[in-house]
Amino acid sequence: MAQMTMIQAITDAMRTELKNDENVLVFGEDVGVNGGVFRATEGLQKEFGEDRVFDTPLAESGIGGLAIGLSLTGFRPVMEIQFFGFIFEVIDSVSGQLARQSFRTGGRFNAPVTIRSPFGGGVATPEMHADSLEGLVASQPGLKVVIPSTPYDAKGLLISAIKDDNPVVFLEHMKLYRSFRQEVPEGEYTIPLGKADVKREGKDLSIITYGAMVHESLKAAEVLEKEGYSVEVVDLRTIQPLDIETIIASVEKTNRAIVVQEAQKQAGIAANVVSEITERAILSLEAPVLRVAAPDTIYPFAQGENAWLPDVNDIIETAKKVLTF
Amino acid sequence: MAAKKDKQFNPVETLHSIEEQFVMFQILNEEGEIVNQDAEPNLSEEELTELMTRMVYTRILDQRSISLNRQGRLGFYAPTAGQEASQLASHFALEKEDFILPGYRDVPQLLFHGLPLHMAFLWSRGHYEGSIIPEGLNIFIPQIIIGAQYIQAAGVALGFQKRGVKAVAMTYTGDGGTSQGDFYEGINFAGAYRVPAIFVIQNNQYAISTPRELQTAAKTLAQKGVAAGIPSILVDGMDALAVYVATRDARERAINGEGPTLIETMCYRYGPHTMAGDDPTRYRTSDTDNEWEKRDPLVRFRKYLEGKGIWSEEKENEVIERAKEEIKEAIKKADAAPKQKVSDFIKIMYKGDLPYNVQEQLDIYTEKESK
């Protein structure tokens, strides 16, 4: 098995599916010769040709339209939106069209489209690059939304996304692209969409989280362990649909939970997780379920972001409130 | 070589010289006379009468749809009278394997491509069975978001190119649609990839109430194709022959790998924008209406065919009676569609296993509906 960064695992997932299914196409801005601005598509055009891995004119809405049209002719498009902050330019194609494609054709035309896009804070990008806008798509019926936190998960989830017959938004946290390596199997393997992963087991508190915050939460769990608390970290991996079974099982075991997200408190998916817990497991709770999230402002890019992003201290502080309630 | 001083590039003159070249293409004048003999298509008598039949049928369907809508027996409806040549003569140049991405006024083209009439009625009523496009019928559901079909058409055409299919993607929007970003992105993508697409702008002069002049400084809408580097043509949209020829030639180029074409059809909708409360007297005068009605596509095509001795009042009445009968039957069939259930809506949301939340809701509604 090879040691891979998350971005290498993502490239490998696309390579695997380009190889396995001739209907898979990869396209977007600069994905061809350049291999993507982050090199996510490095070498793919060379290996599979310009017919299957190709650059598009610089217009996100057009890219979305292309994906829809290609899906109508039996292709399985993997379209890249260069940064998820540009989703506003293509929100009609994603939420207005792809998400509805099966419904508005009575099930006749499904839309097996994967929308890959980098996002996430802490890497000093310009404005409109780092925002956590996953809530925007997670609230749209018809879309599945995936956010991996490790190289292994990224490959298995991306392969599942590409093979899925429904539109899947696959969001890649930029900070995780090259932050660490992990053993990643060669060839095809899948991780089912809608299945969370318990990244650390514990019995006093459940931290339910996703994306880069999985790693902040794991750090917090280490610190809390030294103070005598056993903390479980649930990595949602898919934020739409949620893995209710795993979330509820964890909460029923620990009786206490916090939800951690990088998105603003009014955005993201945390409120949804809290609602599901209160609807399904309120009698198991010893304390209110609290949220750790960014404040409800516009994302302050580059110099301002570290003061704004939730971090390990915020998580520890909130965890203690719930643990000592 | 240095340019001479007096030959310096003049942006104003250049614009004017380009705009002047977009002269409206016409074959049949308002009197039904051939004014452009060289361009007259070589259509057989059967084909000519078939095209006339479709236009008459559609005019009747429009009248009946408006009254059905007023009776509350039809839902959303966008009137088509005045645009029959633009819609049906452009469609007449297509083959079964070509793929249509319509706007919401473009239901007639779908019908003559093969969509059963009762399904169009069900779609109008908001019954999902009207949207289950029959297998092998190359159409998409009418687009509501103005312009979105243009980028999708580029995608379908790219798909055909990649598969080596000799077919075109054909899409329609209106004059207002040409102001949308998706309009430009669609023709630009199609040009950049040189794909087999035909983009039709049905310039019916008003985007709901906003006149064509307020949409753009461009003298014609067809010239917008120049910026995308694709062939474009301004056509008399009330002249069935001109519309047919422009589309036929565009299709031929597309099939031969010469890329997309933009066609502006100059036409007029006699009725309101839709039946949902639009009142054209607020933004148009009856003088304008009358002037356009003089150019009526059916009147001039009828004269042309009568001149050839291949159309008569009797023939027209036959078409009218058949249309009325089929409309009646289609309404009956639409009325017989089963009542829609929430569980149906849930089942058509996803392919494969349902996400947990949706499965849970399906169970709840299935239980409710069984009572």
Side-chain angles (χ1 to χ4, degrees):
Chain A
M1 268 201 287
Q3 288 279 326
M4 287 188 198
T5 60
M6 190 163 100
I7 195 142
Q8 288 169 333
I10 286 167
T11 312
D12 198 41
M14 284 187 274
R15 181 183 296 114
T16 305
E17 288 318 291
L18 279 161
K19 224 180 263 175
N20 285 347
D21 182 351
E22 59 181 15
N23 287 319
V24 171
L25 302 173
V26 172
F27 55 92
E29 295 155 6
D30 308 300
V31 306
V33 175
N34 198 39
V37 291
F38 290 102
R39 308 291 173 259
T41 52
E42 177 86 54
L44 296 182
Q45 188 177 64
K46 209 170 171 195
E47 189 174 345
F48 298 97
E50 287 174 28
D51 195 44
R52 299 191 59 207
V53 179
F54 53 96
D55 288 322
T56 63
L58 203 166
E60 287 78 16
S61 187
I63 294 169
L66 220 55
I68 294 164
L70 287 165
S71 79
L72 293 177
T73 48
F75 286 101
R76 198 169 274 278
V78 180
M79 60 178 259
E80 178 178 304
I81 297 300
Q82 199 162 60
F83 292 92
F84 202 55
F86 309 166
I87 186 67
F88 297 111
E89 289 287 325
V90 58
I91 200 77
D92 178 54
S93 282
V94 176
S95 296
Q97 310 281 332
L98 280 170
R100 310 164 73 98
Q101 192 152 301
S102 175
F103 185 86
R104 71 189 291 265
T105 60
R108 161 78 198 281
F109 286 115
N110 59 312
V113 175
T114 303
I115 300 135
R116 280 188 46 246
S117 193
F119 81 108
V123 291
T125 57
E127 201 185 356
M128 302 297 283
H129 285 60
D131 301 50
S132 288
L133 299 168
E134 66 275 14
L136 204 65
V137 278
S139 63
Q140 172 61 49
L143 298 175
K144 298 180 183 179
V145 185
V146 178
I147 302 184
S149 71
T150 68
Y152 176 84
D153 286 353
K155 181 176 172 185
L157 287 165
L158 182 52
I159 290 175
S160 290
I162 295 171
K163 291 169 90 77
D164 201 287
D165 285 335
N166 304 285
V168 180
V169 181
F170 188 89
L171 298 175
E172 303 161 6
H173 200 292
M174 287 183 273
K175 203 176 170 181
L176 301 180
Y177 267 157
R178 294 183 172 85
S179 62
F180 67 102
R181 287 172 186 273
Q182 195 181 25
E183 298 239 309
V184 174
E186 275 168 37
E188 187 176 283
Y189 68 94
T190 56
I191 293 172
L193 305 186
K195 287 277 166 250
D197 183 39
V198 177
K199 286 281 191 284
R200 177 192 170 102
E201 293 205 25
K203 47 186 200 310
D204 300 329
L205 170 75
S206 302
I207 300 182
I208 297 152
T209 184
Y210 58 97
M213 285 298 133
V214 169
H215 302 283
E216 295 300 307
S217 300
L218 287 168
K219 278 186 231 165
E222 296 264 320
V223 174
L224 288 163
E225 183 170 33
K226 283 177 194 141
E227 298 181 25
Y229 299 111
S230 162
V231 176
E232 180 146 305
V233 176
V234 178
D235 177 3
L236 291 172
R237 300 196 294 195
T238 301
I239 62 161
Q240 186 59 251
L242 290 170
D243 180 357
I244 291 302
E245 233 171 276
T246 303
I247 295 169
I248 298 304
S250 178
V251 172
E252 283 175 347
K253 178 172 71 171
T254 63
N255 309 116
R256 293 167 202 268
I258 66 171
V259 186
V260 181
Q261 69 178 18
E262 184 176 314
Q264 295 92 330
K265 201 165 192 176
Q266 72 177 66
I269 199 73
N272 222 6
V273 176
V274 177
S275 303
E276 295 289 357
I277 294 171
T278 51
E279 278 188 14
R280 294 163 198 270
I282 196 156
L283 295 178
S284 303
L285 292 174
E286 301 282 349
V289 182
L290 297 186
R291 287 176 285 168
V292 178
D296 293 323
T297 75
I298 298 301
Y299 191 95
F301 63 97
Q303 269 196 345
E305 66 188 351
N306 287 332
W308 184 87
L309 288 165
D311 64 14
V312 63
N313 295 322
D314 299 321
I315 299 169
I316 292 168
E317 194 184 315
T318 304
K320 280 186 178 168
K321 274 188 204 160
V322 171
L323 282 162
T324 59
F325 182 81
Chain B
M1 206 170 69
K4 284 186 189 166
K5 226 179 180 179
D6 60 342
K7 287 278 185 193
Q8 267 184 0
F9 181 80
N10 183 324
V12 177
E13 274 178 21
T14 304
L15 172 66
H16 289 158
S17 72
I18 290 169
E19 287 186 327
E20 275 165 20
Q21 292 177 56
F22 281 89
V23 179
M24 193 166 76
F25 175 56
Q26 191 185 57
I27 296 176
L28 210 53
N29 70 10
E30 292 168 23
E31 303 308 318
E33 299 157 351
I34 296 286
V35 292
N36 190 345
Q37 200 118 41
D38 294 344
E40 189 181 1
N42 189 22
L43 288 168
S44 68
E45 288 184 359
E46 287 73 28
E47 286 169 322
L48 289 169
T49 50
E50 173 62 20
L51 180 51
M52 183 64 186
T53 298
R54 291 181 183 188
M55 293 204 292
V56 171
Y57 192 106
T58 299
R59 181 67 61 89
I60 298 303
L61 175 61
D62 187 60
Q63 291 166 359
R64 292 296 303 135
S65 297
I66 288 171
S67 80
L68 286 164
N69 173 280
R70 289 193 177 127
Q71 295 162 24
R73 300 181 69 195
L74 207 58
F76 172 79
Y77 183 69
T80 57
Q83 297 188 210
E84 292 89 348
S86 170
Q87 296 181 320
L88 298 162
S90 59
H91 174 259
F92 206 64
L94 297 190
E95 300 292 335
K96 192 173 177 285
E97 58 270 26
D98 297 330
F99 197 106
I100 306 174
L101 295 102
Y104 45 73
R105 205 180 303 283
D106 303 309
V107 174
Q109 297 97 302
L110 303 184
L111 297 175
F112 291 106
H113 214 56
L115 183 72
L117 183 55
H118 77 278
M119 287 185 70
F121 288 155
L122 284 172
W123 175 77
S124 159
R125 289 174 173 182
H127 195 299
Y128 80 92
E129 282 191 359
S131 305
I132 309 172
I133 301 162
E135 207 63 48
L137 176 57
N138 291 328
I139 62 165
F140 205 38
I141 294 304
Q143 184 54 254
I144 298 297
I145 300 301
I146 306 291
Q149 67 273 37
Y150 261 50
I151 48 175
Q152 296 167 8
V156 171
L158 182 62
F160 283 161
Q161 185 190 63
K162 289 193 182 297
R163 297 221 182 271
V165 172
K166 293 277 180 203
V168 301
M170 173 90 147
T171 189
Y172 296 86
T173 192
D175 37 313
T178 67
S179 298
Q180 286 279 14
D182 279 353
F183 168 84
Y184 294 99
E185 294 186 25
I187 61 174
N188 187 58
F189 272 58
Y193 292 129
R194 219 178 157 81
V195 294
I198 304 174
F199 298 97
V200 179
I201 306 161
Q202 298 193 71
N203 175 4
N204 67 12
Q205 315 305 322
Y206 293 88
I208 304 189
S209 68
T210 308
R212 145 74 182 86
E213 298 74 48
L214 285 183
Q215 293 294 341
T216 175
K219 201 175 154 208
T220 67
L221 303 176
Q223 75 196 55
K224 294 187 177 201
V226 174
I230 70 172
S232 32
I233 183 168
L234 171 62
V235 181
D236 182 345
M238 297 178 109
D239 169 0
L241 293 183
V243 172
Y244 169 75
V245 167
T247 318
R248 179 200 66 191
D249 293 352
R251 186 178 189 278
E252 199 174 301
R253 280 193 298 274
I255 295 293
N256 289 338
E258 294 169 54
T261 298
L262 180 66
I263 301 173
E264 175 185 0
T265 62
M266 192 70 94
C267 57
Y268 199 72
R269 79 170 136 78
Y270 299 156
H273 164 66
T274 68
M275 293 305 294
D278 178 42
D279 172 12
T281 64
R282 292 171 69 90
Y283 52 86
R284 296 192 315 212
T285 65
S286 54
D287 285 353
T288 312
D289 289 351
N290 293 338
E291 201 172 302
W292 279 96
E293 279 171 26
K294 277 187 216 148
R295 303 175 201 167
D296 189 79
L298 274 66
V299 170
R300 72 171 94 167
F301 204 58
R302 184 183 295 122
K303 282 181 184 162
Y304 173 63
L305 296 196
E306 282 171 353
K308 285 180 172 290
I310 57 172
W311 194 257
S312 62
E313 206 183 325
E314 196 187 357
K315 230 174 199 161
E316 182 144 340
N317 284 335
E318 269 173 38
V319 177
I320 293 170
E321 287 317 308
R322 179 166 66 82
K324 285 182 178 165
E325 199 49 45
E326 287 181 8
I327 292 163
K328 214 188 283 171
E329 286 306 308
I331 283 288
K332 257 192 230 162
K333 212 165 168 187
D335 288 344
K339 203 169 166 224
Q340 299 181 91
K341 302 194 297 284
V342 175
S343 58
D344 299 329
F345 302 146
I346 293 174
K347 286 176 196 160
I348 59 174
M349 275 297 295
Y350 298 90
K351 271 267 180 329
D353 293 343
L354 290 175
Y356 93 92
N357 51 328
V358 186
Q359 181 61 55
E360 224 174 51
Q361 291 159 17
L362 177 63
D363 295 343
I364 292 167
Y365 280 96
T366 307
E367 161 86 29
K368 262 191 200 173
E369 287 159 3
S370 71
K371 281 174 190 165

